[in-house]
Amino acid sequence: MFRQYMHVERFGTDEVEGIELGKCYVFPKLDGTNSSLWCHNYAQMDFRGGSRTRELTLENDNQGFLNAIIGRVGIDKFFSKYSSLRLYGEWLVPHTLKTYREDAWRKFWIFDVYNDETHQY
């Protein structure tokens, strides 16, 4: 089942006013396309992918993410150990910024993990 990633507020909006008071961690934002990956049914090697707002199909992909990631070595090995985890990240493709190093493109940069069994990030 598709699970949309939570909306993250931009610094400076009313919803996050005062967030910088106290301990705060700042991370760079990659400028690609938001993507997710999870195991729907490990016995059938059924891996699924999503964008920020919808489930992807091989025919209706998001910047080639699902087609590229499904065949990658290690996906099945990861989900054989962690089938309840859902990975969220950026699929780094040219978007607004086009100046990343060449070896950074077309990789899935994970920024969050959700556990479908415990319902926790």
Side-chain angles (χ1 to χ4, degrees):
M1 176 177 84
F2 175 74
R3 179 181 173 79
Q4 185 172 336
Y5 190 70
M6 68 179 117
H7 176 71
V8 178
E9 286 295 332
R10 182 181 303 271
F11 184 72
T13 62
D14 291 344
E15 289 81 2
V16 294
E17 185 177 342
I19 197 169
E20 74 281 2
L21 303 175
K23 190 177 258 188
C24 190
Y25 298 92
V26 178
F27 299 94
K29 162 76 170 79
L30 290 174
D31 184 47
T33 184
N34 188 279
S35 302
S36 59
L37 185 65
W38 68 96
C39 182
H40 180 71
N41 182 325
Y42 186 76
Q44 296 178 5
M45 302 295 277
D46 185 6
F47 308 116
R48 306 277 177 99
S51 70
R52 181 183 312 276
T53 58
R54 65 183 172 88
E55 186 169 342
L56 303 175
T57 66
L58 295 175
E59 298 76 30
N60 192 9
D61 204 345
N62 190 21
Q63 295 289 327
F65 168 71
L66 191 59
N67 278 281
I69 206 75
I70 290 298
R72 293 238 171 131
V73 174
I75 296 298
D76 58 337
K77 188 175 180 181
F78 174 83
F79 284 117
S80 73
K81 286 185 171 185
Y82 308 106
S83 62
S84 66
L85 298 184
R86 185 177 300 257
L87 306 175
Y88 291 99
E90 286 289 309
W91 176 242
L92 196 58
V93 291
H95 194 268
T96 305
L97 293 176
K98 297 174 177 46
T99 57
Y100 290 105
R101 292 182 354 201
E102 282 303 313
D103 61 346
W105 296 116
R106 302 196 58 74
K107 292 184 180 169
F108 184 41
W109 298 90
I110 298 167
F111 59 71
D112 215 341
V113 178
Y114 183 82
N115 188 319
D116 284 325
E117 289 178 354
T118 64
H119 306 286
Q120 294 177 318
Y121 286 94

